[in-house]
């Protein structure tokens, strides 16, 4: 079964082709970072318009790169949420219409489930069950995963997601856009021992997160030390990484599991990977990540999740919708 996956939840247009026998055949991605950099963040209306311009040319490029044809596609998967509603509607409209024109089924995919399943595209994928840390610009979640669609939310951010806190703190320091990678680069030049940032919500039981206070702490530190941007970046990054590691340790201990999956844009952070690898070694377990190019939004994870759900007989009616908010625990099991 050959599935076309379309991702348009935010500021990246991703299209991919996944074959259930041959694996990932190819994926292409267009990033809107240069366009949004002028504004210091994603402008939703501009994002939607750019998806309209790019999604079909990218699909044609993917088919040319892989040597595939439209007739060889057996199903279409598209991101229906969560995300920016206008951006989601572009991918949903194109995906559902293309499936109708080809006479093949279409399936709506949850963006976060796509991230969660992205490590399954690697040569040595994790086995169920496992704990998943989904950490991106819009979400920070700990999930107990028993199988596809069998998710129990263990904890999540009560305010800013980790990636959002990275971006906002980078802006406070005066770094470029996108803020997360810029802050990580600045942290390499900083003295991590100069400032001690708090590890929020680690002094109480539970697995929820809160990162807005770290942003405020960074702001106050910058006001007191206006020329210490790199040192602030280093201390901030360490605080986020340690907080995530502490919560992951608790989740593994609470569930009795030893496998940890880490996905989402922030999972590409080198310091986070090093810290979680040490945690896994201490716990006698293992951490699984997607390859760096599949950490951020991409069509490959949507095509793969779509293949699993289409194989299970799930598909959409002729109508389609977008869900800016779509909790994963509402998904049907496979």
């Amino acid at each position: 079964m050959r599935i076309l996956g379309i991702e348009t939840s935010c500021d990246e247009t991703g299209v991919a082709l996944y074959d259930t026998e041959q694996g990932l055949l190819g994926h292409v991605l267009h990033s809107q970072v240069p366009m949004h950099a002028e504004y210091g963040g994603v402008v939703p209306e501009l994002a939607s318009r750019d998806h309209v311009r790019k999604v079909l040319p990218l699909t044609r490029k993917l088919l040319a790169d892989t040597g595939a044809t439209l007739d060889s596609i057996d199903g279409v998967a598209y991101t229906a949420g969560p995300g920016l509603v206008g951006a989601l509607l572009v991918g949903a409209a194109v995906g559902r219409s293309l499936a109708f024109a080809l006479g093949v089924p279409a399936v709506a995919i949850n963006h976060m489930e796509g991230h969660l399943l992205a490590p399954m595209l690697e040569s040595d994928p994790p086995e169920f069950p496992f704990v998943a840390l989904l950490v991106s610009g819009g979400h920070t979640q700990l999930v107990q995963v028993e199988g596809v669609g069998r998710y129990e939310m263990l904890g999540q951010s009560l305010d800013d997601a980790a990636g959002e806190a990275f971006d906002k703190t980078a802006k406070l320091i005066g770094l470029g856009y996108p803020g997360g990678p810029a802050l990580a680069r600045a942290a390499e030049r900083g003295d991590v021992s100069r400032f001690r940032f708090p590890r929020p919500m680690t002094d109480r039981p539970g697995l929820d997160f809160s990162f807005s206070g770290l942003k405020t702490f960074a702001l106050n530190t910058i006001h007191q030390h206006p020329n210490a941007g790199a040192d602030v970046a280093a201390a901030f990054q360490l605080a986020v990484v340690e907080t995530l590691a502490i919560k992951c340790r608790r989740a593994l201990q609470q569930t009795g599991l030893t496998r940890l999956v880490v996905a989402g844009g922030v999972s590409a952070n080198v310091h986070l990977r090093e810290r979680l690898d040490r945690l896994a070694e201490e716990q006698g377990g293992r951490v699984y990540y997607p390859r760096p190019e599949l950490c951020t939004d991409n069509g490959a994870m949507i095509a793969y999740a779509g293949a699993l759900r289409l194989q299970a007989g799930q598909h959409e009616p002729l109508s389609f919708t977008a869900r800016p908010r779509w909790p994963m625990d509402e998904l049907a099991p496979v």
Side-chain angles (χ1 to χ4, degrees):
M1 193 175 196
R2 187 168 289 184
I3 307 302
L4 179 73
I6 300 174
E7 157 61 28
T8 63
S9 66
C10 190
D11 63 337
E12 289 169 313
T13 313
V15 185
L17 202 57
Y18 179 81
D19 189 289
T20 53
E21 294 184 359
Q22 301 176 59
L24 182 63
L25 300 181
H27 73 102
V28 291
L29 186 72
H30 168 71
S31 173
Q32 300 176 2
V33 165
M35 178 176 65
H36 296 295
E38 179 181 351
Y39 306 95
V42 177
V43 181
E45 180 61 25
L46 295 181
S48 303
R49 293 179 184 181
D50 206 45
H51 288 310
V52 172
R53 288 190 290 264
K54 297 297 184 183
V55 65
L56 288 179
L58 281 176
T59 301
R60 288 193 287 268
K61 183 180 188 308
L62 173 70
L63 294 175
D65 289 349
T66 59
T69 63
L70 285 174
D71 291 340
S72 69
I73 294 173
D74 300 307
V76 179
Y78 57 86
T79 303
L84 302 175
V85 64
L88 291 167
L89 284 170
V90 175
V94 170
R96 190 63 195 87
S97 300
L98 185 57
F100 176 74
L102 296 175
V104 299
V107 63
I109 296 300
N110 182 292
H111 177 77
M112 297 311 294
E113 180 177 59
H115 275 305
L116 186 151
L117 296 175
M120 299 294 186
L121 288 165
E122 302 307 317
S123 58
D124 185 19
E127 297 180 359
F128 299 113
F130 54 76
V131 169
L133 171 66
L134 304 179
V135 57
S136 65
H139 298 82
T140 303
Q141 301 173 336
L142 277 167
V143 186
Q144 182 171 345
V145 181
E146 297 294 331
V148 178
R150 297 167 60 196
Y151 310 130
E152 179 184 351
M153 189 66 63
L154 301 175
Q156 58 188 324
S157 180
L158 304 179
D159 41 57
D160 290 355
E164 182 181 6
F166 264 96
D167 290 340
K168 290 180 177 178
T169 302
K171 191 170 185 179
L172 293 174
I173 296 172
L175 302 174
Y177 175 84
L183 188 144
R185 289 192 296 270
E188 295 298 325
R189 306 190 304 270
D191 179 1
V192 73
S193 64
R194 181 175 177 184
F195 303 115
R196 165 73 182 182
F197 278 43
R199 277 55 170 165
M201 296 187 70
T202 59
D203 59 349
R204 67 192 76 175
L207 295 172
D208 287 331
F209 302 91
S210 172
F211 293 107
S212 63
L214 276 180
K215 177 187 62 181
T216 304
F217 195 95
L219 177 62
N220 293 335
T221 305
I222 292 166
H223 283 164
Q224 295 168 12
H225 306 273
N227 298 317
D231 297 338
V232 170
F236 174 86
Q237 177 175 253
L238 179 61
V240 173
V241 166
E242 286 294 330
T243 299
L244 293 172
I246 290 169
K247 296 289 184 168
C248 285
R249 179 187 291 108
R250 287 184 186 176
L252 293 171
Q253 292 173 344
Q254 177 178 309
T255 60
L257 299 174
T258 58
R259 287 183 288 270
L260 176 66
V261 162
V262 186
V266 182
S267 70
N269 183 282
V270 173
H271 288 276
L272 178 61
R273 290 192 175 209
E274 290 175 350
R275 181 65 188 89
L276 293 180
D277 285 342
R278 292 200 305 272
L279 169 64
E281 185 176 350
E282 295 164 3
Q283 300 290 312
R286 182 177 170 188
V287 189
Y288 297 82
Y289 310 93
R291 71 197 75 165
E293 67 191 79
L294 299 185
C295 289
T296 54
D297 298 348
N298 63 86
M301 66 185 191
I302 303 304
Y304 177 74
L308 297 180
R309 292 195 170 274
L310 285 169
Q311 281 185 310
Q314 297 183 24
H315 57 84
E316 307 303 319
L318 286 178
S319 61
F320 64 87
T321 188
R323 298 186 61 179
R325 298 183 182 276
W326 189 6
M328 280 202 306
D329 52 14
E330 295 182 5
L331 297 177
V334 171

